Amino acid sequence: MEKVHVEVNRCKGCGLCVEFCPRHCLELAAELNAIGYHPARNHDAEKCTSCALCADMCPEGAITIHRKKRSKSA
Amino acid sequence: MRDEDIAVVEEMECVFSRPEALTDKAFHYCPGCTHGIVHRLVAEMIDEFKLMDRTVGVCPVGCSVLMYDYFECDMIEASHGRAPAVATAVKRTDPNRFVFTYQGDGDLASIGMAETVHAAARGDRITIFFINNGIYGMTGGQMAPTTLIGQRATTSPSGRDERLTGAPIGICELLSSLKGVAYLARVPLTSPKNLKDARKHMRKAIRAQLEDKGLGLVEFLSTCPVQWKMEPIAAMKHIDENVVKVFPPGVFVDCVGDLQK
């Protein structure tokens, strides 16, 4: 399962998620989506910490964030 | 292999998704417009306070005129500027309802100024979410009462002239003198930190109504990248550098207080 799931055809390519990602692991794709924009995508899942700041700034509500379940003892 | 895959899937948990109070319909707003962010924040609040069954939202006229398509709760469309009057009627008819209005600056600060001021003066138990982007977005970028001095709009092509059209109206400053207002705050929507502040303000503005204290209003300093003729990120920087000097963020009235822990 992806950490950052962008609903490709909801994204309007405004770039706010790219700007506010503290680890710079988002970018706008070169190809177009069904509504004619360059959608955002996570190009570096290794660096991503699932902080959800990209989803917080997304005006379309197009981003869903998953992260590894944290163990209660830790 | 397959068992391991399932184990990995089970370890993931969802930490952020679209709020339940929003429908699946895609927003019609321009790329980078902060209306989408505020819609999501309002929906998050409805989910958080578990108000879905008793919420009535009142839509404005402006870009967000179609917002009833995006919310699962009951919505009413008011005539231009009259959302606080409609909300007052709903709240007085059925006080158990949670009633909010969602208005832009052309709607709330221009044609609806009388309704806004009088709803605040009466202290009606409604919550107003006020989107201030300093311009009429939907109708083509005309000057609004909140347009900054020197800002270009289609009706002020060489920049707003204070001598001719006056200075921008600060709604929070204006309403802070009225006794009926229980919570009044202004917040820019320019970073995740500010969104966190916005959620704090919205919680208190909602509690002002639910705890029967008075009217709650949160003003969001928003962007209009298309009519400002800026990129979405440049528009956010413009708010941080210029707009906050004219409209300083902060809490103007707080009669709600913090929750006891």
Side-chain angles (χ1 to χ4, degrees), chain B residues 116-157:
Chain B
T116 310
V117 172
H118 283 283
R122 292 189 306 263
D124 271 306
R125 272 55 171 163
I126 59 174
T127 303
I128 299 178
F129 300 120
F130 170 38
I131 316 300
N132 177 3
N133 58 11
I135 206 156
Y136 281 76
M138 183 183 74
T139 50
Q142 289 84 0
M143 192 184 77
T146 44
T147 299
L148 306 188
I149 302 293
Q151 184 180 337
R152 286 166 193 259
T154 50
T155 46
S156 61

Short mmCIF file of all heavy atoms in Angstrom, two decimals, chain B residues 116-157:
data_model
loop_
_atom_site.label_atom_id
_atom_site.label_comp_id
_atom_site.label_asym_id
_atom_site.label_seq_id
_atom_site.Cartn_x
_atom_site.Cartn_y
_atom_site.Cartn_z
N THR B 116 -24.90 40.71 8.45
CA THR B 116 -23.80 40.24 9.30
C THR B 116 -23.76 41.02 10.60
O THR B 116 -23.71 40.45 11.70
CB THR B 116 -22.47 40.44 8.56
OG1 THR B 116 -22.58 39.89 7.26
CG2 THR B 116 -21.32 39.80 9.31
N VAL B 117 -23.78 42.35 10.49
CA VAL B 117 -23.64 43.19 11.68
C VAL B 117 -24.82 42.98 12.62
O VAL B 117 -24.64 42.87 13.84
CB VAL B 117 -23.50 44.68 11.27
CG1 VAL B 117 -23.56 45.57 12.50
CG2 VAL B 117 -22.20 44.90 10.52
N HIS B 118 -26.02 42.86 12.07
CA HIS B 118 -27.18 42.71 12.94
C HIS B 118 -27.27 41.32 13.56
O HIS B 118 -27.69 41.19 14.72
CB HIS B 118 -28.46 43.09 12.19
CG HIS B 118 -28.62 44.57 12.07
ND1 HIS B 118 -29.04 45.36 13.11
CD2 HIS B 118 -28.32 45.41 11.06
CE1 HIS B 118 -29.02 46.63 12.74
NE2 HIS B 118 -28.59 46.69 11.49
N ALA B 119 -26.85 40.30 12.80
CA ALA B 119 -26.81 38.96 13.41
C ALA B 119 -25.81 38.96 14.57
O ALA B 119 -26.07 38.38 15.63
CB ALA B 119 -26.41 37.92 12.38
N ALA B 120 -24.68 39.66 14.39
CA ALA B 120 -23.68 39.74 15.46
C ALA B 120 -24.20 40.57 16.63
O ALA B 120 -23.99 40.23 17.79
CB ALA B 120 -22.39 40.34 14.91
N ALA B 121 -24.91 41.65 16.33
CA ALA B 121 -25.43 42.51 17.40
C ALA B 121 -26.49 41.78 18.21
O ALA B 121 -26.56 41.93 19.44
CB ALA B 121 -26.01 43.79 16.79
N ARG B 122 -27.31 40.96 17.54
CA ARG B 122 -28.33 40.19 18.26
C ARG B 122 -27.72 39.02 19.00
O ARG B 122 -28.36 38.43 19.86
CB ARG B 122 -29.37 39.64 17.26
CG ARG B 122 -30.25 40.67 16.59
CD ARG B 122 -31.37 39.98 15.82
NE ARG B 122 -30.88 39.00 14.88
CZ ARG B 122 -30.70 39.23 13.58
NH1 ARG B 122 -30.97 40.42 13.08
NH2 ARG B 122 -30.25 38.29 12.78
N GLY B 123 -26.49 38.68 18.62
CA GLY B 123 -25.85 37.53 19.25
C GLY B 123 -26.53 36.23 18.92
O GLY B 123 -26.66 35.34 19.76
N ASP B 124 -26.98 36.09 17.67
CA ASP B 124 -27.63 34.84 17.28
C ASP B 124 -26.64 33.70 17.36
O ASP B 124 -25.48 33.85 17.01
CB ASP B 124 -28.21 34.97 15.87
CG ASP B 124 -29.62 35.49 15.93
OD1 ASP B 124 -30.42 34.87 16.64
OD2 ASP B 124 -29.91 36.53 15.32
N ARG B 125 -27.11 32.55 17.80
CA ARG B 125 -26.22 31.40 18.02
C ARG B 125 -25.95 30.69 16.71
O ARG B 125 -26.42 29.58 16.48
CB ARG B 125 -26.86 30.45 19.03
CG ARG B 125 -26.55 30.73 20.49
CD ARG B 125 -26.89 32.10 20.94
NE ARG B 125 -26.78 32.28 22.39
CZ ARG B 125 -26.72 33.43 22.98
NH1 ARG B 125 -26.74 34.57 22.27
NH2 ARG B 125 -26.63 33.51 24.28
N ILE B 126 -25.19 31.36 15.84
CA ILE B 126 -24.80 30.75 14.58
C ILE B 126 -23.28 30.86 14.45
O ILE B 126 -22.64 31.62 15.17
CB ILE B 126 -25.49 31.40 13.36
CG1 ILE B 126 -25.15 32.90 13.28
CG2 ILE B 126 -26.97 31.20 13.40
CD1 ILE B 126 -25.67 33.59 12.05
N THR B 127 -22.71 30.06 13.56
CA THR B 127 -21.27 30.08 13.32
C THR B 127 -21.04 30.49 11.87
O THR B 127 -21.65 29.94 10.97
CB THR B 127 -20.66 28.69 13.59
OG1 THR B 127 -20.99 28.32 14.92
CG2 THR B 127 -19.15 28.73 13.44
N ILE B 128 -20.18 31.49 11.69
CA ILE B 128 -19.91 32.00 10.34
C ILE B 128 -18.48 31.69 9.96
O ILE B 128 -17.55 31.99 10.71
CB ILE B 128 -20.15 33.53 10.28
CG1 ILE B 128 -21.61 33.85 10.61
CG2 ILE B 128 -19.79 34.07 8.91
CD1 ILE B 128 -21.94 35.33 10.63
N PHE B 129 -18.28 31.05 8.81
CA PHE B 129 -16.95 30.86 8.26
C PHE B 129 -16.80 31.84 7.10
O PHE B 129 -17.54 31.77 6.12
CB PHE B 129 -16.75 29.40 7.80
CG PHE B 129 -16.91 28.42 8.92
CD1 PHE B 129 -17.87 27.44 8.88
CD2 PHE B 129 -16.09 28.50 10.04
CE1 PHE B 129 -18.03 26.55 9.93
CE2 PHE B 129 -16.23 27.62 11.10
CZ PHE B 129 -17.21 26.63 11.05
N PHE B 130 -15.88 32.77 7.27
CA PHE B 130 -15.76 33.92 6.37
C PHE B 130 -14.47 33.79 5.56
O PHE B 130 -13.38 33.78 6.11
CB PHE B 130 -15.77 35.20 7.21
CG PHE B 130 -15.42 36.46 6.46
CD1 PHE B 130 -15.83 36.66 5.16
CD2 PHE B 130 -14.67 37.45 7.07
CE1 PHE B 130 -15.51 37.83 4.48
CE2 PHE B 130 -14.35 38.62 6.41
CZ PHE B 130 -14.77 38.80 5.10
N ILE B 131 -14.61 33.67 4.24
CA ILE B 131 -13.46 33.50 3.35
C ILE B 131 -13.09 34.86 2.78
O ILE B 131 -13.85 35.42 1.99
CB ILE B 131 -13.80 32.54 2.19
CG1 ILE B 131 -14.56 31.33 2.69
CG2 ILE B 131 -12.55 32.16 1.42
CD1 ILE B 131 -13.82 30.51 3.68
N ASN B 132 -11.96 35.40 3.19
CA ASN B 132 -11.57 36.73 2.74
C ASN B 132 -10.39 36.60 1.76
O ASN B 132 -9.27 36.37 2.17
CB ASN B 132 -11.17 37.57 3.96
CG ASN B 132 -10.68 38.95 3.58
OD1 ASN B 132 -10.69 39.31 2.41
ND2 ASN B 132 -10.26 39.71 4.56
N ASN B 133 -10.70 36.75 0.46
CA ASN B 133 -9.60 36.75 -0.50
C ASN B 133 -9.44 38.10 -1.18
O ASN B 133 -8.67 38.24 -2.13
CB ASN B 133 -9.74 35.61 -1.53
CG ASN B 133 -11.04 35.69 -2.30
OD1 ASN B 133 -11.75 36.68 -2.22
ND2 ASN B 133 -11.35 34.66 -3.03
N GLY B 134 -10.19 39.10 -0.72
CA GLY B 134 -9.95 40.47 -1.17
C GLY B 134 -10.36 40.75 -2.60
O GLY B 134 -9.90 41.74 -3.17
N ILE B 135 -11.21 39.93 -3.18
CA ILE B 135 -11.60 40.17 -4.57
C ILE B 135 -12.88 39.38 -4.86
O ILE B 135 -13.21 38.45 -4.15
CB ILE B 135 -10.45 39.75 -5.53
CG1 ILE B 135 -10.52 40.52 -6.83
CG2 ILE B 135 -10.45 38.24 -5.78
CD1 ILE B 135 -9.19 40.62 -7.53
N TYR B 136 -13.64 39.81 -5.88
CA TYR B 136 -14.79 39.03 -6.33
C TYR B 136 -14.27 38.00 -7.32
O TYR B 136 -13.92 38.34 -8.45
CB TYR B 136 -15.80 39.93 -7.03
CG TYR B 136 -16.68 40.74 -6.11
CD1 TYR B 136 -16.21 41.86 -5.47
CD2 TYR B 136 -18.00 40.36 -5.92
CE1 TYR B 136 -17.03 42.60 -4.63
CE2 TYR B 136 -18.83 41.10 -5.09
CZ TYR B 136 -18.33 42.21 -4.45
OH TYR B 136 -19.15 42.94 -3.63
N GLY B 137 -14.18 36.75 -6.91
CA GLY B 137 -13.59 35.74 -7.77
C GLY B 137 -14.51 35.32 -8.91
O GLY B 137 -14.13 35.36 -10.08
N MET B 138 -15.76 34.95 -8.58
CA MET B 138 -16.63 34.34 -9.58
C MET B 138 -17.02 35.31 -10.68
O MET B 138 -17.09 34.94 -11.85
CB MET B 138 -17.90 33.80 -8.91
CG MET B 138 -18.83 33.10 -9.85
SD MET B 138 -20.35 32.56 -9.08
CE MET B 138 -21.22 34.09 -8.88
N THR B 139 -17.28 36.57 -10.31
CA THR B 139 -17.84 37.50 -11.30
C THR B 139 -16.77 38.13 -12.17
O THR B 139 -17.08 38.94 -13.03
CB THR B 139 -18.64 38.60 -10.59
OG1 THR B 139 -17.82 39.14 -9.55
CG2 THR B 139 -19.90 38.07 -9.99
N GLY B 140 -15.50 37.83 -11.96
CA GLY B 140 -14.48 38.30 -12.89
C GLY B 140 -13.44 39.21 -12.28
O GLY B 140 -12.78 39.97 -12.99
N GLY B 141 -13.27 39.18 -10.96
CA GLY B 141 -12.15 39.91 -10.35
C GLY B 141 -12.41 41.38 -10.11
O GLY B 141 -11.50 42.20 -10.26
N GLN B 142 -13.64 41.74 -9.72
CA GLN B 142 -13.91 43.14 -9.37
C GLN B 142 -13.38 43.45 -7.97
O GLN B 142 -13.11 42.55 -7.18
CB GLN B 142 -15.41 43.44 -9.43
CG GLN B 142 -15.98 43.48 -10.82
CD GLN B 142 -16.35 42.10 -11.34
OE1 GLN B 142 -16.17 41.11 -10.66
NE2 GLN B 142 -16.84 42.05 -12.56
N MET B 143 -13.28 44.75 -7.66
CA MET B 143 -12.80 45.18 -6.34
C MET B 143 -13.84 44.85 -5.27
O MET B 143 -15.03 45.07 -5.47
CB MET B 143 -12.56 46.69 -6.38
CG MET B 143 -11.82 47.21 -5.21
SD MET B 143 -11.71 49.00 -5.32
CE MET B 143 -13.34 49.45 -4.82
N ALA B 144 -13.38 44.32 -4.14
CA ALA B 144 -14.27 44.01 -3.02
C ALA B 144 -14.00 45.02 -1.90
O ALA B 144 -13.01 45.76 -1.96
CB ALA B 144 -13.98 42.59 -2.54
N PRO B 145 -14.86 45.06 -0.86
CA PRO B 145 -14.59 45.98 0.26
C PRO B 145 -13.27 45.66 0.97
O PRO B 145 -12.75 46.49 1.70
CB PRO B 145 -15.76 45.77 1.20
CG PRO B 145 -16.78 45.06 0.43
CD PRO B 145 -16.11 44.33 -0.67
N THR B 146 -12.77 44.44 0.78
CA THR B 146 -11.56 44.00 1.47
C THR B 146 -10.33 44.05 0.57
O THR B 146 -9.26 43.58 0.97
CB THR B 146 -11.76 42.58 1.99
OG1 THR B 146 -12.38 41.83 0.95
CG2 THR B 146 -12.64 42.53 3.20
N THR B 147 -10.47 44.59 -0.64
CA THR B 147 -9.31 44.70 -1.54
C THR B 147 -8.28 45.64 -0.93
O THR B 147 -8.64 46.68 -0.36
CB THR B 147 -9.78 45.24 -2.91
OG1 THR B 147 -10.73 44.32 -3.45
CG2 THR B 147 -8.63 45.39 -3.88
N LEU B 148 -7.00 45.27 -1.04
CA LEU B 148 -5.95 46.08 -0.44
C LEU B 148 -5.76 47.38 -1.22
O LEU B 148 -6.05 47.43 -2.42
CB LEU B 148 -4.62 45.31 -0.41
CG LEU B 148 -4.60 43.94 0.22
CD1 LEU B 148 -3.16 43.44 0.33
CD2 LEU B 148 -5.24 43.93 1.59
N ILE B 149 -5.22 48.41 -0.54
CA ILE B 149 -4.88 49.66 -1.22
C ILE B 149 -3.80 49.36 -2.26
O ILE B 149 -2.80 48.71 -1.95
CB ILE B 149 -4.34 50.70 -0.22
CG1 ILE B 149 -5.36 50.97 0.89
CG2 ILE B 149 -3.95 51.99 -0.93
CD1 ILE B 149 -6.61 51.65 0.45
N GLY B 150 -4.02 49.81 -3.48
CA GLY B 150 -3.03 49.59 -4.54
C GLY B 150 -3.20 48.29 -5.29
O GLY B 150 -2.53 48.07 -6.30
N GLN B 151 -4.10 47.41 -4.80
CA GLN B 151 -4.30 46.14 -5.49
C GLN B 151 -5.11 46.34 -6.77
O GLN B 151 -6.12 47.05 -6.77
CB GLN B 151 -5.03 45.16 -4.56
CG GLN B 151 -5.21 43.77 -5.14
CD GLN B 151 -5.94 42.83 -4.21
OE1 GLN B 151 -5.95 43.02 -2.99
NE2 GLN B 151 -6.57 41.82 -4.76
N ARG B 152 -4.66 45.72 -7.86
CA ARG B 152 -5.35 45.85 -9.12
C ARG B 152 -6.54 44.90 -9.19
O ARG B 152 -6.43 43.74 -8.81
CB ARG B 152 -4.42 45.54 -10.28
CG ARG B 152 -3.42 46.62 -10.55
CD ARG B 152 -2.33 46.12 -11.46
NE ARG B 152 -1.22 47.07 -11.48
CZ ARG B 152 -1.04 47.94 -12.48
NH1 ARG B 152 -1.85 47.96 -13.51
NH2 ARG B 152 -0.02 48.77 -12.42
N ALA B 153 -7.66 45.41 -9.66
CA ALA B 153 -8.84 44.58 -9.91
C ALA B 153 -9.46 45.11 -11.20
O ALA B 153 -9.05 46.17 -11.68
CB ALA B 153 -9.82 44.69 -8.74
N THR B 154 -10.44 44.39 -11.76
CA THR B 154 -10.99 44.87 -13.04
C THR B 154 -11.72 46.20 -12.87
O THR B 154 -11.84 46.95 -13.84
CB THR B 154 -11.95 43.83 -13.65
OG1 THR B 154 -12.87 43.44 -12.66
CG2 THR B 154 -11.19 42.61 -14.13
N THR B 155 -12.21 46.51 -11.66
CA THR B 155 -12.86 47.80 -11.45
C THR B 155 -11.91 48.81 -10.79
O THR B 155 -12.34 49.92 -10.47
CB THR B 155 -14.12 47.64 -10.59
OG1 THR B 155 -13.81 46.80 -9.48
CG2 THR B 155 -15.25 47.01 -11.38
N SER B 156 -10.67 48.42 -10.56
CA SER B 156 -9.65 49.38 -10.12
C SER B 156 -8.37 49.05 -10.89
O SER B 156 -7.40 48.57 -10.31
CB SER B 156 -9.44 49.32 -8.60
OG SER B 156 -9.00 48.04 -8.21
N PRO B 157 -8.38 49.29 -12.20
CA PRO B 157 -7.28 48.78 -13.05
C PRO B 157 -5.92 49.37 -12.72
O PRO B 157 -4.89 48.75 -13.01
CB PRO B 157 -7.71 49.14 -14.47
CG PRO B 157 -8.81 50.12 -14.31
CD PRO B 157 -9.42 49.93 -12.99
#
